[in-house]
């Protein structure tokens, strides 16, 4: 397994460009299963998860061609509708093929995803959406088996105990594009990735309005054609680089960023004392002095502070001048990074869904273990500022969501290198 070896203490300087959004690209690639013509997806990041989705589409009868930033998908054979457990357990976003296959092929068999390092990840709301559209859903041998003679438009409420669901909204919205009549999704997720998915679907002939609001209206159409679509920039990668600049007291311009997608993050960084200045339309300059103010932050569905930046912000607040309270309202168990940051000298105590962080003067390098994608990013950020050497093990987690993060950080002056290791275990 590859590791990152980081010698901390360098201030980051320079410019970095953010890649296309992983969490927009994955459902959009899945949505190509709804279409009857070839689609071209531009700007998807070159990541393990995207490679997994390409492979899954190929398993399901699509011809997937193109490398790097242009992926072409053309569905050739609609007979195979089984997303097997071996694929789904590698990538939970495989669940995104459920809605498209049900709507287009009238049947879908998708292995039920399990929990993961960030906690329980139920799919009951996905199933609620699809059932409301008229699907018959059974569980067989660990697989979700969904069938429908025809889907009918309906009104469905998709709010759950932790708010809206991003991929549950995506699945229901995708299925509803080919349903008969009008579907209204209430308490829909408002995330920019849902808006991007709706943009792709509309380019392919769907009739969706309201994406980006809690009420999405879909007028069913008979058929979708292929479309060309460019993926939005990755707001979580952008936020991670902004925090990297802040934690190292650096001066960094982050390019290819949409600050409208990062309002809560910019607000919190400014409250901490980080300087955040927009540069033109799609870039932002980040700099920070040595003094960081403690803050309280609660993760929330968009446009609130994203759970996918909670771990990285926690790393930053380890060095603030006082106590911060970080409350996780989306995935209450998403705190595995806390113990690892503790190995680097952080002072964090957990109280229920809240981590109380008492700022320390410095973090010290240590061997640490990544448990999930965003926790790994937090450990890398901590390593950039820690005194001495940090080894982040199991970086295959980070490779699922960040395109060449070590190269981008090294180009900003970080002393970070990847060391080769054994291939990751299947998990
Ligand atoms: N939930 C339910 N029932 C469901 C679905 C979700 O109770 O049927 C709960 C979840 O357990 C959670 C909350 O609703 O408490 C929100 O989960 P959501 O469904 O929105 O998460 P997701 O769609 O599975 C996506 C991202 C995650 C990101 C979350 C929240 C992708 C591929 N994944 O997951 O990204 O954390 O939204 O914003 O888009 C990551 O990139 O590291 C990552 C984990």
């Amino acid at each position: 397994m590859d590791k990152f070896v980081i010698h901390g203490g360098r201030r980051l300087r320079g410019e970095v460009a953010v890649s296309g959004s992983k969490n927009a690209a994955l459902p959009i690639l899945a949505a190509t299963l709804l279409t009857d013509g070839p689609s071209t997806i531009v700007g998807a990041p070159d990541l393990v998860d995207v490679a997994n989705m390409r492979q899954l589409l190929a398993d399901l009868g699509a011809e997937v061609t193109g490398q790097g930033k242009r992926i072409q998908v053309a569905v050739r054979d609609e007979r195979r509708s089984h997303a097997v457990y071996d694929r789904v357990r590698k990538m939970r976003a495989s669940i995104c093929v459920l809605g498209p296959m049900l709507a287009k092929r009238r049947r879908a068999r998708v292995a039920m995803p399990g929990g993961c390092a960030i906690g329980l990840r139920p799919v009951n709301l996905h199933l609620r959406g699809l059932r409301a559209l008229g699907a018959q859903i059974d569980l067989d041998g660990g697989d979700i088996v969904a069938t429908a003679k025809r889907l009918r438009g309906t009104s469905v409420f998709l709010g759950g105990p932790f708010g809206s669901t991003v991929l549950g909204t995506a699945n229901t919205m995708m299925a509803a594009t080919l349903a008969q009549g009008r579907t209204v999704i209430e308490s829909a997720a408002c995330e920019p990735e849902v808006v991007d998915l709706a943009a792709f679907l509309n380019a392919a002939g769907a009739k969706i309005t309201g994406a980006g609001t809690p009420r999405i209206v879909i007028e069913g159409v008979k058929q979708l054609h292929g479309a060309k679509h460019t993926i939005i920039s990755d707001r979580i990668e952008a936020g991670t680089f902004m925090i990297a600049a802040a934690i190292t007291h650096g001066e960094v311009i982050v390019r290819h960023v949409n600050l409208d997608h990062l309002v809560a993050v910019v607000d919190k960084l400014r409250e901490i004392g980080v300087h955040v200045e927009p540069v033109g339309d799609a870039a932002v300059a980040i700099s920070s002095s040595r003094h960081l103010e403690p803050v309280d932050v609660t993760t929330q569905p968009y446009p609130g502070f994203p759970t996918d930046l909670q771990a990285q912000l926690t790393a930053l607040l380890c060095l603030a001048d006082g106590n911060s309270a970080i409350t996780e309202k989306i995935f209450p168990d998403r705190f595995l990074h806390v113990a690892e940051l503790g190995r680097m000298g952080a002072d964090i105590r957990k109280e229920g869904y809240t981590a109380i962080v008492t700022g320390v003067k410095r973090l010290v390098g240590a061997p640490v273990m990544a448990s999930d994608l965003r926790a790994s990013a937090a450990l890398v950020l901590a390593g950039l500022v820690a005194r001495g050497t940090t080894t982040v093990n199991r970086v295959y987690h980070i490779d699922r969501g960040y395109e060449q993060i070590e190269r981008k950080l090294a180009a900003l002056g970080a002393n970070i290198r990847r060391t080769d290791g054994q291939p990751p275990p299947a998990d």
Side-chain angles (χ1 to χ4, degrees), residues 22-23 121-125 162 165-167 308 330 374:
K22 164 181 87 79
N23 290 349
R121 311 253 328 246
V123 292
N124 58 312
L125 298 171
F162 301 99
T165 163
V166 176
L167 295 183
D308 290 344
I330 308 293
R374 308 304 172 184

Side-chain angles (χ1 to χ4, degrees), residues 310-368:
Q310 180 259 109
Q312 300 89 316
L313 195 80
T314 302
L316 178 65
L317 291 173
C318 286
L319 295 162
D321 196 8
N323 292 338
S324 299
I326 299 152
T327 303
E328 179 54 67
K329 284 273 179 80
I330 308 293
F331 295 112
D333 296 323
R334 197 176 201 176
F335 282 114
L336 288 180
H337 47 285
V338 162
E340 298 302 293
L341 288 171
R343 303 193 66 248
M344 300 178 72
D347 182 352
I348 310 177
R349 116 178 156 263
K350 263 204 67 207
E351 285 184 10
Y353 302 160
T354 300
I356 312 288
V357 183
T358 301
V360 292
K361 286 247 159 353
R362 69 173 61 86
L363 294 172
V364 286
V368 285

Side-chain angles (χ1 to χ4, degrees), residues 267-283:
D267 184 68
K268 224 16 105 181
L269 288 176
R270 286 188 173 140
E271 200 182 327
I272 294 170
V274 179
H275 302 291
V276 182
E277 284 305 323
V279 181
D281 278 351

Side-chain angles (χ1 to χ4, degrees), residues 117-378:
I118 66 177
L120 285 177
R121 311 253 328 246
V123 292
N124 58 312
L125 298 171
H126 299 236
L127 304 188
R128 183 195 289 176
L130 300 179
R131 276 200 181 102
L133 288 164
Q136 161 81 32
I137 296 188
D138 299 296
L139 201 58
D140 177 44
D143 292 338
I144 301 162
V145 182
T147 51
K149 284 217 171 59
R150 84 174 321 145
L151 297 177
R152 285 184 204 284
T154 186
S155 183
V156 60
F157 175 77
L158 285 189
F162 301 99
S164 52
T165 163
V166 176
L167 295 183
T169 300
N171 251 329
T172 308
M173 181 168 82
M174 289 189 280
T177 57
L178 293 180
Q180 192 179 38
R182 166 188 288 211
T183 299
V184 180
I185 304 176
E186 304 282 5
S187 196
C190 302
E191 270 68 1
E193 294 76 17
V194 173
V195 179
D196 206 32
L197 173 61
F200 167 73
L201 292 168
N202 282 341
K207 291 195 172 139
I208 302 172
T209 52
T213 78
R215 186 169 209 263
I216 299 179
V217 180
I218 306 121
E219 301 287 349
V221 295
K222 287 220 156 47
Q223 198 182 19
L224 296 182
H225 48 78
K228 183 175 171 199
H229 180 79
T230 300
I231 301 290
I232 55 172
S233 77
D234 193 311
R235 64 195 167 101
I236 304 302
E237 189 195 2
T240 303
F241 282 117
M242 290 161 76
I243 297 172
I247 204 168
T248 62
H249 308 294
E251 280 179 39
V252 172
I253 294 183
V254 183
R255 295 207 177 277
H256 190 224
V257 50
N258 185 340
L259 280 184
D260 287 346
H261 295 167
L262 285 157
V263 171
V265 176
V266 169
D267 184 68
K268 224 16 105 181
L269 288 176
R270 286 188 173 140
E271 200 182 327
I272 294 170
V274 179
H275 302 291
V276 182
E277 284 305 323
V279 181
D281 278 351
V284 61
I286 307 292
S287 60
S288 98
S289 62
R290 299 238 156 240
H291 181 83
L292 301 172
E293 288 289 336
V295 295
D296 291 348
V297 59
T298 300
T299 63
Q300 287 170 328
Y302 188 84
F305 191 90
T307 175
D308 290 344
L309 283 171
Q310 180 259 109
Q312 300 89 316
L313 195 80
T314 302
L316 178 65
L317 291 173
C318 286
L319 295 162
D321 196 8
N323 292 338
S324 299
I326 299 152
T327 303
E328 179 54 67
K329 284 273 179 80
I330 308 293
F331 295 112
D333 296 323
R334 197 176 201 176
F335 282 114
L336 288 180
H337 47 285
V338 162
E340 298 302 293
L341 288 171
R343 303 193 66 248
M344 300 178 72
D347 182 352
I348 310 177
R349 116 178 156 263
K350 263 204 67 207
E351 285 184 10
Y353 302 160
T354 300
I356 312 288
V357 183
T358 301
V360 292
K361 286 247 159 353
R362 69 173 61 86
L363 294 172
V364 286
V368 285
M369 185 84 83
S371 54
D372 77 277
L373 167 56
R374 308 304 172 184
S376 326

